[in-house]
Amino acid sequence: MPQTKTKPNQQQRKLRLSPRAALAIFVVIIIIVAAAIITIKVGQWKNDGARYARTLSEQIGVSPETAQKYARMTLENSSAHACVNMATENYEYMYESKKTVQVSGVTIPQWLILAGTSNNVITDVTYYDYRQLKKYGNGVETDAHVKHEGINTSMDPTAVQKYIGFPPLCTKYTTDSLVESYKYFYEDKNTGDTVSYTLHVTYKDGKAASAVEEENYFILSVLTMD
């Protein structure tokens, strides 16, 4: 007996997509994937100064000419900003952000990389994230004093940054150590005064070896003409 063709039920008919609908869904998926990739890349490139500094630090011990080729950057002999040149006159090589930020009414690069040299060989690399200084140069605002005693020898830079709660203002690489410097301020609840500190964390073999803080007395330079 010839078999009779059964009609697809309503649910089967709903699952069928027209070529146009299928193409539209495919395009939407491509857009979502592309947006996710772009978001990841933007996150990786957002602080490209730190990335350049890490790459350049891997070339400590070689000539600046060789190092900049490896790091895919062109080291300059001066800054586009006069105040930076005055502050870094002991450095022959530098690399700075094209984007700028204002600190205490002065325009400076968002970040700066300095390469120290001796006998035409890179001896150290220092990275400054000037965005950390904020508007008035006090650094990052916190709720209270950061207890540097909580930094111990089992902590690596990632753990220390997580403990402190914000990135360092300055990172210095040498042949055998890494030093991160954090600058922050807060309002003393007892006096109402603004208190500012700089915290220096030194690492050896990837672990915190010491944490030393110093209070910043900016007001002293304001009260006298010395």
Side-chain angles (χ1 to χ4, degrees):
M1 295 178 60
Q3 295 182 349
T4 58
K5 294 183 179 180
T6 58
K7 295 182 178 180
N9 57 38
Q10 187 176 6
Q11 184 177 4
Q12 289 175 324
R13 284 198 300 269
K14 287 182 179 180
L15 292 176
R16 292 179 179 175
L17 297 175
S18 67
R20 181 176 296 178
L23 178 60
I25 292 175
F26 177 74
V27 171
V28 169
I29 292 174
I30 293 297
I31 292 174
I32 292 174
V33 172
I37 293 174
I38 292 173
T39 300
I40 293 173
K41 289 298 182 182
V42 168
Q44 292 174 342
W45 294 335
K46 186 172 59 174
N47 197 2
D48 54 352
R51 178 170 55 86
Y52 277 123
R54 284 193 300 269
T55 305
L56 187 63
S57 71
E58 295 171 359
Q59 295 300 296
I60 290 176
V62 304
S63 69
E65 293 76 18
T66 301
Q68 66 181 352
K69 289 180 182 179
Y70 174 84
R72 296 183 179 180
M73 58 195 292
T74 302
L75 294 173
E76 304 292 343
N77 298 121
S78 63
S79 168
H81 307 271
C83 59
V84 173
N85 286 324
M86 288 187 288
T88 60
E89 58 183 6
N90 293 328
Y91 286 86
E92 185 178 357
Y93 298 98
M94 64 181 63
Y95 188 68
E96 65 185 5
S97 170
K98 303 304 180 185
K99 295 182 179 179
T100 60
V101 64
Q102 277 211 337
V103 178
S104 296
V106 179
T107 300
I108 59 176
Q110 286 189 353
W111 50 260
L112 173 71
I113 299 171
L114 299 174
T117 57
S118 178
N119 298 321
N120 199 40
V121 169
I122 291 181
T123 57
D124 56 85
V125 173
T126 305
Y127 168 70
Y128 289 95
D129 184 359
Y130 288 137
R131 291 167 295 186
Q132 292 288 323
L133 290 175
K134 305 300 182 182
K135 186 175 182 179
Y136 297 108
N138 288 331
V140 177
E141 184 174 7
T142 61
D143 294 330
H145 182 253
V146 176
K147 296 181 178 179
H148 67 284
E149 298 87 353
I151 299 173
N152 58 66
T153 55
S154 68
M155 301 170 72
D156 61 10
T158 300
V160 170
Q161 288 188 31
K162 184 177 181 180
Y163 171 79
I164 294 176
F166 52 90
L169 164 66
C170 174
T171 304
K172 183 172 184 176
Y173 303 87
T174 63
T175 54
D176 58 355
S177 69
L178 168 68
V179 179
E180 291 182 336
S181 298
Y182 299 79
K183 189 175 184 180
Y184 68 97
F185 72 98
Y186 62 95
E187 182 180 318
D188 189 307
K189 304 300 181 184
N190 297 320
T191 65
D193 294 340
T194 295
V195 184
S196 176
Y197 278 92
T198 302
L199 173 60
H200 306 281
V201 184
T202 301
Y203 301 87
K204 297 285 187 180
D205 299 321
K207 299 296 182 180
S210 66
V212 180
E213 69 174 13
E214 56 182 309
E215 188 170 353
N216 304 312
Y217 295 99
F218 172 76
I219 189 63
L220 297 183
S221 64
V222 176
L223 295 177
T224 65
M225 296 296 292
D226 296 335

